[in-house]
Amino acid sequence: MAFTLAIHAGAGAMQPEKEILPAIHVGLRVALHAGHAVLADGGSALDSVTAAVVALEDNPLFNAGRGSVLTTEGTAEMEAAVMEGAGRRTGAVGGITGPRNPVLGARMVMERSEHVLMVGEGAMRFLRDHDLPMETADYFVTERRQAVLRAELARRVGGLKPARDNAAKHGTVGAVACDRAGNLAAATSTGGMTAKLPGRVSDSPLIGAGTFADNATCAVSATGHGEFFIRWVVAYDVAARMQYLGETLERAAENVVAGLVQFGGSGGLVAVDRDGHMALPFNSPAMYRGTIGADSTARTAIWREAMA
């Protein structure tokens, strides 16, 4: 059976500096090839999406892991989730600072605990006890993210509303895959919103909101204004439309993302079904995204241009 992988690295009114555009495409392709290598070697969809998200977390251009945006207090609080479609096994973490790769923390919760979601200091103790690689807090605080935080806080001091629809607000990374055996998996990781209140949790670690996988329907990883994705249970809604309305993956994904617009919800998602079909809809001006299949050709895009 053919295998496929799709990734995203945030959605919104993306306006990346011209000089970093090539680096964004390179970063997406590095992640695609990391996940593809697993699938090409006969590996599982779960290992593939984990590898892809680890690569995105290690890249400071993207809002997860090393590149996480900062809270109002100038700290990074990260979240991640993984889910496999065969038995709906899942693990997630929230409100953590320290693990180099939060997605590996989510897998650790899934594989070494009886729980689904762990947060805060309790999650950190668990991850330390299981020897997850850690970094100091300074590792996650980059000058680029500090500059964005300063600009956002200055907006608020000036009486302007928070700038919600931009890359710094909607940054999230994620991956979905279908392996040779037809098994599905999804992984999502984020630093959240710039200038979020400490303790805020997004849709990313919430199963059915930002992350979902079920072999009977699809695997989904979402990116956007998380509060809307939580309230409309976006990731699961795609699967539900397929299961109960008989919609194709593409139609279900498009309907769910388009339906958010009337409520003010901005963002997008990547999804794959058990036949390897992919969907990457978004209702914002842009979404960092990429796909790769058995032909080993990585294709990436930012705005609404064709994938290349």
Side-chain angles (χ1 to χ4, degrees):
M1 181 176 178
F3 55 84
T4 52
L5 170 71
I7 66 171
H8 67 76
M14 304 303 204
Q15 295 179 334
E17 301 90 333
K18 185 176 180 180
E19 59 269 22
I20 70 169
L21 281 173
I24 291 171
H25 285 285
V26 168
L28 292 171
R29 290 170 189 263
V30 166
L32 286 169
H33 286 298
H36 175 269
V38 174
L39 296 173
D41 197 40
S44 70
L46 180 63
D47 286 343
S48 174
V49 296
T50 301
V53 170
V54 163
L56 293 167
E57 288 176 336
D58 286 342
N59 190 324
L61 289 176
F62 305 126
N63 178 14
R66 176 79 169 97
S68 291
V69 298
L70 306 176
T71 71
T72 53
E73 295 182 359
T75 57
E77 288 188 0
M78 294 164 284
E79 308 157 1
V82 295
M83 186 170 185
E84 61 177 7
R88 293 201 187 185
R89 286 202 311 156
T90 186
V93 290
I96 59 171
T97 303
R100 180 186 181 93
N101 295 109
V103 71
L104 297 182
R107 275 201 69 164
M108 195 164 281
V109 170
M110 182 182 77
E111 296 174 340
R112 301 193 186 185
S113 83
E114 60 180 330
H115 306 308
V116 167
L117 172 61
M118 297 185 69
V119 302
E121 186 51 41
M124 288 300 300
R125 285 197 301 270
F126 171 80
L127 300 176
R128 290 190 193 100
D129 288 347
H130 288 81
D131 299 321
L132 187 69
M134 298 284 174
E135 298 287 349
T136 64
D138 290 345
Y139 171 84
F140 303 101
V141 181
T142 67
E143 174 54 37
R144 184 165 175 259
R145 297 309 191 193
Q146 288 179 314
V148 173
L149 176 63
R150 288 193 295 268
E152 178 59 24
L153 294 178
R155 285 178 56 83
R156 298 183 184 186
V157 170
L160 298 175
K161 292 182 179 180
R164 291 300 186 198
D165 193 14
N166 56 50
K169 291 291 183 181
H170 286 198
T172 299
V173 307
V176 293
C178 176
D179 62 31
R180 292 182 186 273
N183 290 315
L184 306 179
T188 312
S189 180
T190 188
M193 290 181 170
T194 293
K196 67 181 180 181
L197 292 177
R200 180 259 187 182
V201 175
S202 75
D203 60 307
S204 298
L206 301 183
I207 303 307
T211 307
F212 187 74
D214 184 351
N215 279 5
T217 51
C218 61
V220 179
S221 176
T223 176
H225 194 158
E227 279 68 16
F228 290 91
F229 284 64
I230 294 169
R231 290 157 62 192
W232 272 270
V233 201
V234 165
Y236 176 69
D237 199 18
V238 177
R241 295 185 74 97
M242 294 177 67
Q243 182 173 359
Y244 301 119
L245 296 180
E247 294 183 349
T248 64
L249 174 71
E250 184 175 14
R251 180 177 292 275
E254 290 283 357
N255 283 340
V256 169
V257 171
L260 288 172
V261 175
Q262 63 182 308
F263 304 108
S266 177
L269 58 84
V270 294
V272 63
D273 68 15
R274 58 189 175 186
D275 295 317
H277 300 131
M278 292 182 285
L280 297 86
F282 56 99
N283 62 30
S284 50
M287 182 171 77
Y288 295 161
R289 62 199 186 278
T291 64
I292 195 168
D295 64 358
S296 304
T297 301
R299 297 176 174 86
T300 59
I302 294 177
W303 296 283
R304 295 195 176 274
E305 73 276 23
M307 303 271 283

